[in-house]
Amino acid sequence: MAESAKHLLLVEDEAPLREIVAEQLSARGFLVEQAASGEAALAQLADFAFDVIITDLRLPGIDGAAVVDAAVERYPDIVAIVVTGFGTVKDAVEAIKRGAWDFVSKPFQIDELLHALDAALEQRRLKSENAYLRAQLEERYRFEGLIGQGPAMKRLMQLLETVAGTNSTILVTGETGTGKEIVARAIHHNGPRRLQRFVALNCSAIPESLLEAELFGHVRGAFTGAVGNRQGRLEQAHRGTLFLDEVGTMSAALQMKLLRVLQEREFERVGDSHTIKVDVRVIAATNSDLVRMVAEGQFREDLYYRLNVIPVHLPPLRERKEDIPLLVQHFLDRLGGAARAPITVSQEAMRRLMAFHWPGNVRQLENFVERAVAFSAGRPQIEAADLPAELQQIDPTPAVGFVSLPEDGLDFTAFIANIERELIVRSLERTGGNKGGAAKLLNLKRTTLVEKMKRLNRPAAHN
Ligand SMILES: Nc1ncnc2c1ncn2[C@@H]1O[C@H](COP(=O)(O)OP(=O)(O)OP(=O)(O)O)[C@@H](O)[C@H]1O
Ligand SMILES: [Mg+2]
């Protein structure tokens, strides 16, 4: 995509000079507005976000230095270039201290001005890119904390590795708090677009009336309050990844516009007729049942298929409880930081964490761990009493909570036998091999325990 045209404000009181410069700059693709005085410049700056301002320092009334001050204060990213008369370098240096990027001295060749302008724009681009990359590095660090080693997570990680290398559109589904956003970031950070932007837009967090402009950008005057031209998230994500969160909440009108973006990779800013082409990878996420919404006519079927090119489903935490201890440790480490001694979790507390059904999934677990740490008041171990009320009330009978049914099922008889064996071995360990004591711990008759031990020692004969 060619960079979008830059809006430039030219402030110069000598009309002939101003006209000539304006003409030359327009010819180079700048969208030029003119101001003949400092007062006029301030008025224009007040209602339009210019990318560039070029101002003569010496103006009748409000001078160029004050114009630069106002411009930089209002738009910290603006590129300001000052024009000085009669080689008054001192004034130019002063202007640069106040935030101007460069200066040219009168009389100047237009090429001199263009050169200063190009260099300043390039520097500004690098500056914002660096700031952006630094932020992304921190993001990347966060993604590496995608935790889970159970079969469900292993399968997920494999899938992520495969899809990250492609440009296909992905639909991430899963209940709230299952990690849809960190998975979307993981896909981006492991793919060929990793050095470009990951731009997120939560479609449910922004009022419908503003969402369109947020996504597509707008031009000045497109609607009340649209004081300047603005890039939308789509343009910001050019060459990178656009993450559309809660995509199920989009209105019918917007669904249609999004469909066009996915099909043609082009769109217009709100209020503009100029078509912009973008190269974006789209990852959408939703916790609503889009299939049902399609059936009920609330979500476009064609859009659904365009989004669901590669489906990535995140299982709820209650279906992968085997990852809970690891997740808890991960959150504890993160909370503890380097300075604090490691925090552990008592067996009773862990039993309760494992028994809970986690309607808010990983996010809820994260919150509960954080609260428990606060309640543990610096003790090295989190006790059951430190856990929130929801976890005080549940029955932590292990068999209820520990069991999770893998997606592809399991061997029932072998699984039950494993649990029996585990319990018998543990109770024998605790009683130093005393079968009577072990039977008591398990609330079994001694003879029943012995019978079970014999059966479990035989090679599997259940099938
Ligand atoms: N596998 C995981 N490993 C480590 N942290 C995780 C994992 N999954 C989720 N989290 C953490 O849980 C929290 C919720 O994750 P995320 O925001 O990605 O969920 P979500 O599915 O987008 O939720 P919602 O539907 O509510 O927006 C985040 O703080 C995230 O870091
Ligand atoms: Mg989310």
Side-chain angles (χ1 to χ4, degrees), residues 151-274:
M153 278 306 272
K154 279 211 178 109
R155 265 198 304 271
L156 176 69
M157 304 252 190
Q158 257 169 16
L159 176 65
L160 294 187
E161 250 170 58
T162 318
V163 304
T166 71
N167 267 323
S168 308
T169 304
I170 293 181
L171 182 62
V172 187
T173 55
E175 291 177 11
T176 177
T178 46
K180 294 185 292 297
E181 178 153 359
I182 83 168
V183 159
R185 287 177 191 273
I187 293 169
H188 172 78
H189 285 299
N190 282 287
R193 292 170 180 254
R194 67 171 71 86
L195 291 178
Q196 307 293 332
R197 286 171 195 233
F198 177 91
V199 177
L201 176 62
N202 185 337
C203 305
S204 72
I206 295 172
E208 174 65 36
S209 54
L210 300 180
L211 187 58
E212 184 177 358
E214 201 56 43
L215 184 57
F216 298 111
H218 62 75
V219 292
R220 180 185 189 183
F223 47 86
T224 323
V227 288
N229 292 330
R230 247 187 79 207
Q231 275 197 341
R233 304 286 171 101
L234 255 172
E235 273 175 84
Q236 290 169 0
H238 180 56
R239 288 197 227 289
T241 303
L242 177 69
F243 176 55
L244 290 175
D245 206 356
E246 309 293 358
V247 74
T249 61
M250 268 192 182
S251 71
L254 219 49
Q255 286 178 33
M256 201 169 79
K257 290 188 171 153
L258 178 60
L259 179 68
R260 173 167 168 235
V261 172
L262 292 175
Q263 281 172 341
E264 319 285 344
R265 306 279 152 181
E266 64 177 41
F267 64 95
E268 287 91 33
R269 288 186 183 182
V270 176
D272 200 2
S273 57
H274 171 68

Side-chain angles (χ1 to χ4, degrees), residues 145-147 153 176-182 287 327 362-363 366:
L146 188 61
I147 303 296
M153 278 306 272
T176 177
T178 46
K180 294 185 292 297
E181 178 153 359
I182 83 168
N287 56 23
L327 282 164
V362 185
R363 179 182 293 110
E366 190 176 0

